[in-house]
Amino acid sequence: MIPIDEMATFCKKKGFVYPSAEIYNGISGFFDFGALGVELKNNIKQAWWQFTVRSRDNVVGQDGSIITNPKVWKASGHVDNFADLILTTKKSRTKLRADHFIEDELKIPADGLSAKDIQELIDTNKLTYKGEEFEEIRDFNLMFQTNVGASNDKEATAYLRPETCQSIFPNFRLIQEHNRLKVPFGIAQIGKAFRNEISPRDFLFRSREFEQMELEFFTDPQEKTCPALTDVHKNTTFQFLSAQEQDAGTNKMETVSIQKLLDKEKLTEWHAYWLSEYYNWYTKTLSIKSENLRIREHVKTELSHYSSATFDIDYNFPFGFKEVHGSANRGSFDLSQHEKESKTNMTYFDEAEQRKYIPSVIEPSQGLDRLFLLMLYDAYDDDNERGNIVLKLTKSVVPIQCAVFPLLGKEHLMAKATEIYKDLQQEFTCTFDKSGSIGRRYARQDELGTPFCITVDFDTLENDDVTIRDRDSTKQVRVPVAELKERLRNLLKENIEFS
Ligand code: GAP
């Protein structure tokens, strides 16, 4: 696996991601997505939306504003609790995220440790940063603040949302009523989130502006069974790191099934259902290698203020297994808080049961930028035999679906290739490349993940057929131009094998 800085260089060179405003030396924790990056990102979003919203009867979407009434963040607990501990060195006043510093220095998990615990570890191990001692540990709230309107008064303070999903809760009743939804149902949202991370690092993994794809799924707190939970969910098997293993410091992973976690009463049936749904979406729809994934149970001290149980899906990056997806049981925390602070009734009336209640919430939360990075890592293959990198991205998300090459720059070949390219462009994301040898052009497309390259040669002028070349096997087949679109459609949907 290439180190993260090499991945950042690859992404920049190939037009996926740039440091934001690089001509001014960028700004730490912010990135701009280039031509290829924006296509890949949009395709991942579309795949998630299709899986989460469009393919289901009981999930709808919303698109809330980034800045909202600050009372939302008071009610949600973010004003008081959404903070990391910060260490400041005495002389140079360098600021470090305390848990990351401990993890780096002592190689132990430190997320969720209290200021007292961290201070003890620093004292016992006589830790310093480049020889400097630290001031007293402080809380640092991660929300970006701004002012709404022309006033600088405290009352005008507002926040850039630190999580995308929160605006779903204040809208819960409106959306439920207007769409005549019955519990259990979900509301999903994709959008930007902002966190003033103390030390952004590892390229897209920990940035200050990122996108989240989140689902809030509302269930009856008295109903313990999930009718949607099938044997496929129960038998889903994965590498698992339990809270007990982490607490004991042994950190041994085991292979378990969702059923085993249910038997141990680690999670509710609805929670099990959603965890399994997204794990299978990763491995089946996105074709992510299961040996690179694990599910990790949060230990008690690291649970977010709103969660009673959280499981992360982690990916094995070059900097270790790290969270890409969080699956939390938020219970009735958010709706109850908004009911209290807004003095608005947030209960749901269950007609069938003739009962009023505040629903309980399961939240699968997906960071888009981390999934983007994961997909690049999982697809990246430095192929020695070919002498170039091959980005073996799953076909449903590739930034470019096909490339058209005229064999030579001769007028007739160019005209025919352009005609085919223009036609394909109506339906596929397509590129045209006439420079360099065909081998060089294949290599260029391999590095961008383009699954199919179409060469227009002298036989095309005679027989009206073209050569399609497959990225993964490098095999080539001859296809009549009249059948080209249908063939590409089926190849991209993986309805047919390349042969
Ligand atoms: N609404 C729940 C929530 O926000 P979280 O675990 O703090 O939970 C959810 O974040 C997901 O958002 C993470 O699994 C990760 O993929 C992504 N994420 C969080 N912080 C991030 C950051 N600084 N940079 C990039 N992605 C981040």
Side-chain angles (χ1 to χ4, degrees):
M1 229 181 225
I2 57 167
I4 190 72
D5 48 344
E6 272 182 45
M7 179 55 88
T9 306
F10 172 80
C11 282
K12 186 174 140 188
K13 254 172 64 185
K14 298 295 160 193
F16 283 96
V17 185
Y18 310 111
S20 184
E22 206 195 10
I23 57 167
Y24 296 102
N25 293 328
I27 167 166
S28 177
F30 296 89
F31 297 92
D32 295 339
F33 286 75
L36 276 276
V38 77
E39 291 292 342
L40 177 55
K41 211 159 110 148
N42 282 341
N43 292 342
I44 298 173
K45 282 195 236 186
Q46 226 173 61
W48 186 88
W49 197 256
Q50 175 63 31
F51 178 71
T52 305
V53 181
R54 293 202 171 151
S55 65
R56 297 170 199 270
D57 296 330
N58 59 355
V59 179
V60 297
Q62 79 149 34
D63 186 13
S65 62
I66 285 173
I67 293 173
T68 185
N69 191 313
K71 287 179 183 163
V72 167
W73 302 111
K74 183 70 189 156
S76 71
H78 285 78
V79 170
D80 296 324
N81 296 308
F82 197 60
D84 282 333
L85 294 172
I86 191 167
L87 286 168
T88 308
T89 61
K90 279 189 176 162
K91 223 167 113 205
S92 64
R93 306 201 48 75
T94 305
K95 294 192 170 28
L96 305 168
R97 190 170 144 173
D99 55 346
H100 286 174
F101 175 72
I102 295 294
E103 282 171 10
D104 291 347
E105 291 292 316
L106 303 178
K107 310 287 174 237
I108 56 166
D111 195 1
L113 289 185
S114 67
K116 190 167 156 275
D117 292 340
I118 290 187
Q119 192 58 56
E120 266 174 30
L121 287 168
I122 290 175
D123 295 342
T124 318
N125 295 284
K126 297 191 173 35
L127 298 180
T128 57
Y129 181 71
K130 297 185 179 168
E132 282 191 63
E133 291 184 345
F134 299 107
E135 292 178 353
E136 199 180 330
I137 300 172
R138 280 193 302 116
D139 266 349
F140 177 75
N141 193 294
L142 298 182
M143 284 196 291
F144 277 102
Q145 286 190 17
T146 186
N147 286 334
V148 173
S151 165
N152 275 333
D153 293 351
K154 202 158 182 285
E155 292 74 61
T157 300
Y159 305 96
L160 302 195
R161 63 185 179 199
E163 62 173 3
T164 307
C165 67
Q166 190 55 230
S167 61
I168 291 173
F169 297 114
N171 292 338
F172 157 75
R173 292 232 7 220
L174 286 177
I175 293 179
Q176 182 265 317
E177 283 168 18
H178 292 160
N179 296 282
R180 291 180 288 126
L181 294 163
K182 288 191 171 32
V183 167
F185 72 89
I187 304 174
Q189 170 155 307
I190 299 180
K192 292 268 187 181
F194 303 82
R195 294 183 190 176
N196 197 3
E197 295 282 354
I198 297 164
S199 38
R201 59 180 183 181
D202 296 324
F203 185 36
L204 297 176
F205 184 82
R206 188 170 303 285
S207 55
R208 288 175 164 143
E209 175 177 339
F210 52 96
E211 274 184 271
Q212 290 182 319
M213 310 191 284
E214 302 198 294
L215 167 67
E216 303 308 306
F217 196 79
F218 301 92
T219 65
D220 176 351
Q222 282 186 23
E223 179 57 72
K224 301 296 173 215
T225 57
C226 161
L229 191 74
T230 64
D231 284 346
V232 173
H233 300 104
K234 291 180 196 165
N235 295 333
T236 299
T237 303
F238 41 82
Q239 305 188 85
F240 179 65
L241 181 59
S242 67
Q244 286 81 351
E245 279 291 325
Q246 294 166 81
D247 284 336
T250 34
N251 293 314
K252 202 168 141 258
M253 286 196 285
E254 52 181 333
T255 302
V256 303
S257 63
I258 285 283
Q259 182 63 58
K260 188 154 178 207
L261 299 189
L262 281 166
D263 293 343
K264 289 190 170 178
E265 297 184 353
K266 281 186 178 286
L267 73 189
T268 64
E269 287 204 0
W270 273 112
H271 202 173
Y273 168 80
W274 282 111
L275 188 58
S276 167
E277 280 285 274
Y278 283 101
Y279 185 85
N280 284 319
W281 183 64
Y282 268 41
T283 54
K284 295 185 178 145
T285 309
L286 302 182
S287 306
I288 295 161
K289 300 176 193 92
S290 56
E291 64 268 27
N292 292 335
L293 295 171
R294 78 169 181 197
I295 292 180
R296 186 181 73 83
E297 182 183 14
H298 276 212
V299 298
K300 282 272 169 307
T301 50
E302 72 176 305
L303 285 173
S304 305
H305 59 275
Y306 49 72
S307 175
S308 60
T310 298
F311 294 83
D312 290 341
I313 302 180
D314 291 353
Y315 185 78
N316 196 4
F317 289 103
F319 43 92
F321 271 108
K322 295 283 173 188
E323 172 192 353
V324 284
H325 176 106
S327 187
N329 184 342
R330 290 179 87 123
S332 59
F333 177 85
D334 301 85
L335 290 177
S336 300
Q337 282 294 106
H338 287 301
E339 180 168 273
K340 206 165 87 194
E341 292 285 330
S342 69
K343 301 185 178 44
T344 307
N345 176 13
M346 297 301 270
T347 52
Y348 165 82
F349 180 64
D350 192 322
E351 278 176 39
E353 298 274 328
Q354 289 293 301
R355 185 156 53 83
K356 261 188 185 174
Y357 55 82
I358 291 190
S360 191
V361 171
I362 299 297
E363 175 193 70
S365 173
Q366 181 60 61
L368 174 57
D369 309 68
R370 287 190 188 175
L371 183 53
F372 179 101
L373 186 61
L374 174 170
M375 295 203 67
L376 288 176
Y377 264 111
D378 218 54
Y380 190 98
D381 180 9
D382 198 350
D383 189 323
N384 281 337
E385 246 169 68
R386 278 190 229 189
N388 61 263
I389 291 152
V390 188
L391 215 48
K392 291 184 172 163
L393 285 167
T394 190
K395 297 185 180 67
S396 56
V397 300
V398 286
I400 302 171
Q401 294 173 313
C402 55
V404 177
F405 308 155
L407 182 66
L408 298 171
K410 300 228 185 265
E411 199 179 316
H412 287 356
L413 283 177
M414 285 290 284
K416 184 68 183 171
T418 306
E419 181 192 313
I420 291 171
Y421 168 63
K422 287 283 162 203
D423 188 36
L424 292 178
Q425 231 182 5
Q426 303 307 310
E427 185 175 336
F428 305 99
T429 46
C430 198
T431 189
F432 189 87
D433 190 357
K434 59 183 168 51
S435 58
S437 69
I438 291 289
R440 185 66 217 117
R441 285 185 252 176
Y442 283 153
R444 219 176 270 149
Q445 294 306 319
D446 281 351
E447 294 191 341
L448 308 180
T450 310
F452 303 110
C453 293
I454 296 148
T455 304
V456 174
D457 55 22
F458 292 106
D459 288 343
T460 310
L461 304 179
E462 294 277 309
N463 307 327
D464 212 26
D465 58 8
V466 289
T467 299
I468 310 187
R469 181 261 197 184
D470 176 47
R471 174 196 70 195
D472 297 342
S473 64
T474 73
K475 279 186 195 157
Q476 301 184 7
V477 293
R478 206 72 193 166
V479 176
V481 173
E483 290 171 25
L484 183 57
K485 278 168 131 177
E486 181 62 12
R487 204 68 78 85
L488 280 174
R489 225 171 271 143
N490 282 317
L491 283 169
L492 287 164
K493 285 194 179 142
E494 302 194 26
N495 290 341
I496 54 170
E497 299 243 321
F498 193 92
S499 60

